[in-house]
Amino acid sequence: MRDVAIIGIGHTKFGRAAKSSLELFSEAALQAMDDAGVTGKEIEALFQGAALPGFEEAQVMPAAFSAAELNLGPIPATRYEGACASASVAIRDAVMWVASGDFDMVLAGGVEKALSMGTAFATRTFAMSCHSPTEGPVGLTFPGVFAMAARRYAVEYGIPLDELREKMAYVSMKNHKHGALNPLAQFYKKMGELKVEDVLNARMVADPLTLLDCCPFSDGAAALVLCAAEDARRYSDAPVYVLGTGQASGSALSKMEDITKPVSRVQSARMAFKHARLEPKDINLLEIHDCFTIAELIALECMGFFGWGEAANATANGETDIGGKIPTNMSGGLIGKGHPIGATGASQVYWIVKQMRGEAAKGNQVDPVPEYGMTDTLGGDFGTLCHLILGRDRR
Amino acid sequence: MVGVGKTQEEIEKELAKQYIPLSYAEYEEALSNGKLMGLKCLSCNKITCHPMPVCQWCSGRDMERVELSGEGELLTFTVIRVAPESFEAPYIPCLVKTKEGPNVIGRLELEPEQASQALIGKRVKMSGTYTYKGDKFSGGAHVCPVFKIVEP
Ligand SMILES: [Zn+2]
């Protein structure tokens, strides 16, 4: 298996888009191709994450039409669907295909137009990646799942729920602070100075999660050009290498042993660390799936950055902010930057690459530039997990 | 090519083999009749509920149908305030650890104003069912268990 590098990146503005999904993806793809200095002729395959295009624009099979819109020719183009982890599993498979030697240069990424669906319909379609037979008739929603996890977290670690809510609020405050500094974020220049009370007193979505504990619905796309590591320097002065990947699957919520310690997340992260021959202490920067404030805490613990039950205090103490032990979601994360679900994994990679190039926005850029970064992407209620470990050196 | 191919009778015989010891439709029908049905594994003796084609604990294939007591412990819950299309807030999804072992997801019969963190760990019992009328995506109407707190 060959090493694989990222040589080009693209990212649309997240938020509400007038453009179609095909246009959004084209925009991100062309940025990535320009960034790499490659033309469509050199792209041999397309791997595209898209979770709900049938509901958003009555478009199934978007990958083929995306390749066509870009005049990439009759290349293999495949849609990947792992709910909110769609782009990450697309990127992971793109890495596998280049590593195998079957392709030398591919395009990978994702797109979603979820904000345009409106809250009631978007909530309905997002909930479709819960276990339909058991969680469907109950009317469980994603905020609902994580609200249940938050209550369980408080019980498991003996934290009064009000105290946990205050600590969770720090996730929202941190991620909104950095989202407000990111010109591509949905909440750019908005809510950069939230207080604990603002989060606690916002409208209740699923008790105990308020609107400010939740990421928004979003439209947007992000894309990457990947090639064999040995060719990377021909295209980029600062290629970023994919050092390790992991993926795992979960079950119906009721079959999980402990919803505060999802096995799928633990397994996927371990697979990525093993593949990269690295440990949490080696990683300088994280972009993780903060779909809800509690989700960021659970992710940090499952990935091994903090002990079980310790991420809440660590976050409130600033250990996950810039200058802390492990800066997390300096792009604003899903909460501050927005969450076009099919694009999110590619957006996370985009921001790690930007950080490694020293090109993140002032106030968000980590100094010195990180050597190793890691993404964590979650689909459904722990149904699909994917982790990518990136590095500035090929090793 | 004489002798190549299977007879229709042979193929039909293969098709007759059962892989689903308790179908989801049968599980839902039993729920509607007030019964929480599961499967007892003849290999590990543990209970699977909701039904699966294999034992949820050991992957065993030999399982027999059993009725659960419907009693258990409240593990967690939430009050949904923003509902998906085709649902009406507020309502209370909950996760229950049954006396027989497996966890079951359902709804909690309770006034939303009374839903406090102190309820977690209380004993609950299945008190009925909720029937979701369904929408054009759900393949018809579906049923889930409803639990109520029995320990004050
Ligand atoms: Zn068994």
Side-chain angles (χ1 to χ4, degrees):
Chain A
M1 298 288 266
R2 305 186 294 181
D3 289 344
V4 177
I6 300 160
I7 54 168
I9 55 173
H11 194 299
T12 70
K13 165 90 179 160
F14 282 3
R16 187 180 294 279
K19 300 180 187 102
S20 70
S21 287
L22 288 174
E23 289 168 326
L24 287 171
F25 189 78
S26 292
E27 188 176 318
L30 289 170
Q31 280 180 28
M33 287 157 65
D34 285 354
D35 185 41
V38 303
T39 66
K41 283 195 182 69
E42 291 161 88
I43 304 293
E44 295 169 280
L46 168 63
F47 302 79
Q48 185 187 58
L52 300 163
F55 298 102
E56 291 155 358
E57 294 180 325
Q59 180 67 73
V60 176
M61 207 177 64
F65 293 115
S66 281
E69 292 277 305
L70 293 162
N71 252 0
L72 298 180
I75 61 166
T78 310
R79 168 190 170 192
Y80 283 75
E81 192 276 296
C84 311
S86 297
S88 288
V89 294
I91 294 164
R92 182 167 182 269
D93 270 26
V95 169
M96 297 291 184
W97 277 93
V98 175
S100 75
D102 281 84
F103 299 122
D104 291 324
M105 188 171 299
V106 303
L107 193 58
V111 61
E112 206 71 52
K113 250 195 111 167
L115 183 56
S116 309
M117 286 196 283
T119 298
F121 189 51
T123 304
R124 172 73 182 104
T125 56
F126 277 42
M128 289 178 185
S129 44
C130 294
H131 183 248
S132 174
T134 54
E135 295 155 36
V138 168
L140 199 59
T141 62
F142 277 164
V145 168
F146 282 89
M148 290 167 84
R151 287 186 178 276
R152 197 65 225 163
Y153 188 101
V155 170
E156 292 282 334
Y157 303 116
I159 309 171
L161 188 64
D162 287 343
E163 195 183 313
L164 177 61
R165 288 188 63 202
E166 285 177 23
K167 284 172 181 161
M168 280 159 41
Y170 282 89
V171 175
S172 181
M173 290 152 62
K174 167 179 68 72
N175 294 354
H176 272 300
K177 178 176 93 179
H178 293 289
L181 295 171
N182 178 352
L184 296 183
Q186 186 159 349
F187 298 123
Y188 176 47
K189 292 187 176 174
K190 287 178 190 157
M191 296 188 282
E193 291 176 356
L194 288 178
K195 295 181 179 63
V196 170
E197 297 71 40
D198 296 329
V199 181
L200 299 184
N201 298 331
R203 182 184 169 200
M204 197 60 84
V205 173
D207 202 331
L209 303 185
T210 70
L211 192 60
L212 291 176
D213 283 297
C214 305
C215 69
F217 295 113
S218 317
D219 306 338
L224 319 168
V225 178
L226 301 119
C227 76
E230 62 246 37
D231 301 328
R233 290 264 165 202
R234 280 174 31 210
Y235 300 96
S236 174
D237 294 334
V240 167
Y241 300 94
V242 182
L243 303 178
T245 74
Q247 187 180 330
S249 307
S251 63
L253 212 56
S254 62
K255 306 289 190 201
M256 288 174 66
E257 201 177 318
D258 184 341
I259 61 172
T260 67
K261 300 183 183 71
V263 171
S264 50
R265 203 168 220 155
V266 174
Q267 290 287 8
S268 172
R270 280 186 190 162
M271 189 188 292
F273 280 123
K274 190 178 172 198
H275 183 186
R277 283 171 280 127
L278 292 170
E279 295 175 44
K281 66 173 170 48
D282 300 314
I283 306 293
N284 312 118
L285 178 74
L286 295 175
E287 284 287 332
I288 67 177
H289 205 88
D290 58 322
C291 44
F292 304 96
T293 50
I294 183 71
E296 179 161 314
L297 305 181
I298 290 175
L300 287 165
E301 293 171 11
C302 287
M303 295 164 76
F305 288 91
F306 295 99
W308 297 116
E310 290 173 3
N313 275 332
T315 300
N317 293 337
E319 291 182 45
T320 56
D321 203 345
I322 205 153
K325 177 185 161 190
I326 179 71
T328 301
N329 287 330
M330 294 299 101
S331 68
L334 281 53
I335 285 175
K337 181 188 59 188
H339 181 30
I341 54 177
T344 280
S347 167
Q348 293 174 322
V349 171
Y350 175 98
W351 286 109
I352 299 263
V353 172
K354 277 286 187 191
Q355 287 271 351
M356 287 181 173
R357 293 178 181 177
E359 293 175 356
K362 295 244 184 259
N364 293 351
Q365 175 68 49
V366 171
D367 186 14
V369 297
E371 290 297 323
Y372 298 115
M374 184 170 183
T375 68
D376 156 280
T377 333
L378 158 76
D381 41 2
F382 309 112
T384 301
L385 258 300
C386 192
H387 292 88
L388 304 170
I389 297 179
L390 310 175
R392 292 176 63 221
D393 286 311
R394 197 170 155 186
R395 300 176 72 246
Chain B
M1 295 290 275
V2 180
V4 179
K6 278 190 173 177
T7 67
Q8 280 67 27
E9 289 74 18
E10 284 172 322
I11 295 169
E12 283 170 14
K13 201 174 159 194
E14 285 172 5
L15 282 174
K17 188 170 174 188
Q18 294 299 313
Y19 292 90
I20 309 292
L22 174 63
S23 75
Y24 209 83
E26 291 169 311
Y27 172 73
E28 282 192 73
E29 196 190 330
L31 276 180
S32 298
N33 295 323
K35 291 180 179 169
L36 182 60
M37 294 298 294
L39 291 162
K40 184 178 175 164
C41 176
L42 301 179
S43 306
C44 75
N45 283 323
K46 289 189 178 176
I47 306 288
T48 291
C49 177
H50 61 275
M52 304 209 312
V54 300
C55 170
Q56 72 181 68
W57 309 99
C58 79
S59 308
R61 296 274 292 273
D62 285 332
M63 297 189 286
E64 61 183 25
R65 298 178 181 199
V66 287
E67 186 183 342
L68 278 67
S69 64
E71 293 171 32
E73 173 199 333
L74 183 65
L75 285 179
T76 187
F77 68 92
T78 181
V79 183
I80 301 284
R81 295 286 178 183
V82 177
E85 193 177 279
S86 79
F87 288 87
E88 218 165 298
Y91 53 89
I92 311 179
C94 68
L95 190 61
V96 169
K97 181 170 180 55
T98 65
K99 209 167 78 176
E100 291 82 2
N103 296 345
V104 173
I105 197 146
R107 283 195 179 188
L108 195 60
E109 182 186 330
L110 189 76
E111 289 305 315
E113 291 66 34
Q114 295 174 323
S116 78
Q117 181 76 354
L119 296 177
I120 291 178
K122 298 270 190 203
R123 284 196 300 120
V124 295
K125 185 165 175 35
M126 185 173 146
S127 57
T129 54
Y130 169 74
T131 302
Y132 167 51
K133 66 183 190 310
D135 63 10
K136 59 189 161 191
F137 311 115
S138 66
H142 289 285
V143 185
C144 69
V146 174
F147 295 89
K148 68 174 181 191
I149 309 277
V150 292
E151 178 190 341

